[in-house]
Amino acid sequence: MNTADLGLPVDVPSTALFTDQYELTMLQAALKAGTAERRSVFEVFTRRLPDGRRYGVLAGTGRVLDAVENFRFDANVLGFLREHEIVDEPTLRWLAGYRFSGDIWGYPEGEVYFPGSPVMRVEGTFAECVLLETVILSILNHDSAIAAAASRMASAAGRPLIEMGARRTHELAAVAAARAAYVGGFSSTSDLAAGFRYGIPTVGTSAHAFTLLHDRERDAFQAQVDALGRDTTLLVDTYDVTEAVRTAVEVAGPELGAVRIDSGDLLLVAHRVRQQLDELGARNTKIIVTSDLDEYAIASLAAAPVDAYGVGTQLVTGSGHPTAAMVYKLVARAETAGSTAPLVPVAKKSTGGKTSLGGRKWAARRLDEDGVAEAEVVGTGPVPDELAGRQLLVQLVKNGEVVAREPLDVPRERHIAARAQLPLSATQLSRGEPVIPTEYVTAGSGS
């Protein structure tokens, strides 16, 4: 069963209003001027990575495809636009029949990217493409930020990671964050909506409240073992950790699945708990640590006898970088309407680092003789023969129809492979520049 097809309260009947008003007012002006049907190319890219990050991780592509399919102006939406006089009647009539009929190309989900990488390219008429700007950026900026943080944490951990951030963000953002974290390398989530919607493995046992509910810690442990079995995870830091571990093994026996530590000096406590468990004969009992972890805290526990980490706040806020700073820019357009009209490169020229490169672009990753990435090559015009087999963009939507849906495990595995192809310094947590440079090759008109 594909749970994504079931429909959930976390879905919406239409994504059409997940946009900024100026997308619609631009449409109205373009319709009036006769330029709305000009063939156009928009690209999504970031000018720079967050400070100190060595690579980005593209996530949210599958959600973008859902959003494009659901971008429909139904009667209620049109009624809202009419009542508030957002656009005029001719524009409302045009919106009533809106269906994206163009093409979308992009880096496959889970792939890494760098400054200037054209991670998504949207082609069609100006009118149909411009409307998608905000919803595409909303999804990709959020999900890619979470996935990048997740990837850094996964590299630092080398052990299973549990996404536990639902209570630290918006209820719908929590579902998207769990999905992005899974793409970035997390193994499971505590969020049931994410499990139901995307098939991500879910985990969870008890919180401190359950222990505090009972007269004795032993009673709480016994109740949990009776309900969930000996292989459950018992939370051992409500009162005294040493006493709790002893009680946990007495109640569950050496078959106890795991203990969770949520406070204190995790490095010291984990070593003490491991020694105690071994002495009590619970050598196969795992240790799970939580407590506001980020990639740096996880790296500091590398030598600790920890079997899994649970991460919440820092993950769902991008570990200090909650957006990927992606933009959606018009890079080429025709001078007349019609699908065969040639494209003319266009680009914004301004100060302050906000310039962009015009023209419809391709991207390829050049590898050295050992198969390690050495440059991200972005260009217009013909693709050099030596890079033809290394192109990164794949077609996602053709003539308005989604052609590249895939199970969530596919981008997850793709990311592992893409990260492994980067130089070893990519996984360093110290501040540094992107691990490979972006090189630009310009030729022809980009048509």
Side-chain angles (χ1 to χ4, degrees):
M1 178 181 65
N2 183 1
T3 56
D5 294 334
L6 295 177
L8 279 177
V10 296
D11 292 329
V12 293
S14 169
T15 53
L17 292 185
F18 288 172
T19 192
D20 292 308
Q21 181 167 318
Y22 78 170
E23 316 290 9
L24 300 188
T25 53
M26 281 193 289
L27 170 64
Q28 177 176 315
L31 289 170
K32 191 173 183 63
T35 54
E37 298 303 315
R38 287 186 176 183
R39 180 181 169 212
S40 299
V41 178
F42 288 81
E43 289 176 351
V44 178
F45 61 94
T46 185
R47 295 183 175 94
R48 63 191 64 84
L49 297 178
D51 187 32
R53 296 287 170 90
R54 306 298 180 91
Y55 61 93
V57 181
L58 181 67
T61 306
R63 297 207 309 120
V64 166
L65 300 181
D66 293 339
V68 171
E69 281 194 333
N70 291 330
F71 207 91
R72 304 284 187 267
F73 292 84
D74 59 23
N76 288 334
V77 170
L78 293 170
F80 166 80
L81 297 176
R82 179 178 290 108
E83 178 184 355
H84 293 275
E85 299 181 345
I86 305 297
V87 291
D88 60 17
E89 285 298 325
T91 305
L92 290 172
R93 288 194 294 270
W94 189 93
L95 291 173
Y98 179 84
R99 299 290 186 275
F100 181 73
S101 63
D103 297 336
I104 299 178
W105 294 71
Y107 281 35
E109 188 163 17
E111 183 58 84
V112 297
Y113 67 86
F114 300 91
S117 297
V119 296
M120 187 166 287
R121 190 175 72 220
V122 182
E123 305 180 18
T125 66
F126 176 84
E128 63 181 338
C129 294
V130 74
L131 294 182
L132 299 177
E133 175 181 6
T134 302
V135 70
I136 287 177
L137 288 179
S138 176
I139 293 170
L140 295 185
N141 269 315
H142 174 269
D143 290 23
S144 297
I146 306 304
S151 179
R152 285 163 59 86
M153 292 174 188
S155 293
R159 304 161 195 173
L161 290 157
I162 307 163
E163 186 280 314
M164 303 173 67
R167 63 190 59 195
R168 302 298 188 222
T169 188
H170 185 280
E171 66 271 20
L172 300 188
V175 181
R179 182 187 183 280
Y182 190 69
V183 170
F186 274 57
S187 303
S188 56
T189 179
S190 66
D191 190 80
L192 289 177
F196 190 94
R197 178 69 177 84
Y198 296 115
I200 302 170
T202 60
V203 296
T205 51
S206 68
H208 293 103
F210 186 76
T211 301
L212 295 170
L213 170 66
H214 294 80
D215 297 333
R216 299 185 305 164
E217 191 170 47
R218 177 181 296 273
D219 297 338
F221 288 173
Q222 189 65 61
Q224 184 175 326
V225 170
D226 289 346
L228 302 178
R230 295 178 183 274
D231 62 347
T232 190
T233 299
L234 295 176
L235 181 59
V236 295
D237 72 329
T238 305
Y239 305 117
D240 178 83
V241 173
T242 301
E243 181 61 31
V245 171
R246 182 181 302 110
T247 302
V249 176
E250 288 176 358
V251 170
E255 298 86 3
L256 174 61
V259 296
R260 178 163 74 95
I261 307 166
D262 189 50
S263 59
D265 183 336
L266 297 178
L267 179 62
L268 176 62
V269 175
H271 277 290
R272 287 178 174 174
V273 169
R274 181 72 273 159
Q275 180 179 353
Q276 186 181 8
L277 287 170
D278 291 347
E279 290 173 350
L280 293 171
R283 291 181 174 81
N284 294 323
T285 298
K286 292 179 168 52
I287 297 175
I288 300 171
V289 298
T290 50
S291 188
D292 210 22
L293 299 174
D294 62 10
E295 59 266 49
Y296 302 102
I298 290 169
S300 74
L301 293 168
V306 174
D307 297 285
Y309 303 90
V311 189
T313 303
Q314 293 302 317
L315 175 64
V316 300
T317 56
S319 196
H321 298 289
T323 177
M326 292 179 181
V327 294
Y328 183 98
K329 296 298 181 184
L330 181 67
V331 297
R333 51 87 175 168
E335 295 180 331
T336 60
S339 60
T340 61
L343 291 172
V344 177
V346 294
K348 176 181 178 180
K349 290 181 172 58
S350 66
T351 58
K354 285 194 172 184
T355 58
S356 56
L357 179 66
R360 181 179 185 272
K361 297 176 198 66
W362 50 264
R365 190 161 299 143
R366 191 172 67 239
L367 308 180
D368 65 17
E369 59 185 12
D370 296 318
V372 177
E374 63 178 11
E376 191 89 338
V377 185
V378 177
T380 60
V383 181
D385 291 342
E386 65 272 18
L387 294 175
R390 300 295 311 165
Q391 293 190 70
L392 292 163
L393 279 79
V394 298
Q395 189 153 27
L396 304 170
V397 176
K398 183 176 182 180
N399 298 326
E401 298 294 326
V402 174
V403 296
R405 275 210 172 82
E406 55 190 10
L408 195 56
D409 283 333
V410 174
R412 173 182 167 83
E413 293 301 318
R414 180 182 293 124
H415 175 62
I416 293 172
R419 190 176 62 200
Q421 202 175 61
L422 297 176
L424 287 176
S425 58
T427 59
Q428 292 178 348
L429 297 181
S430 58
R431 294 187 180 277
E433 296 300 312
V435 70
I436 61 173
T438 303
E439 299 177 358
Y440 293 97
V441 177
T442 59
S445 65
S447 62

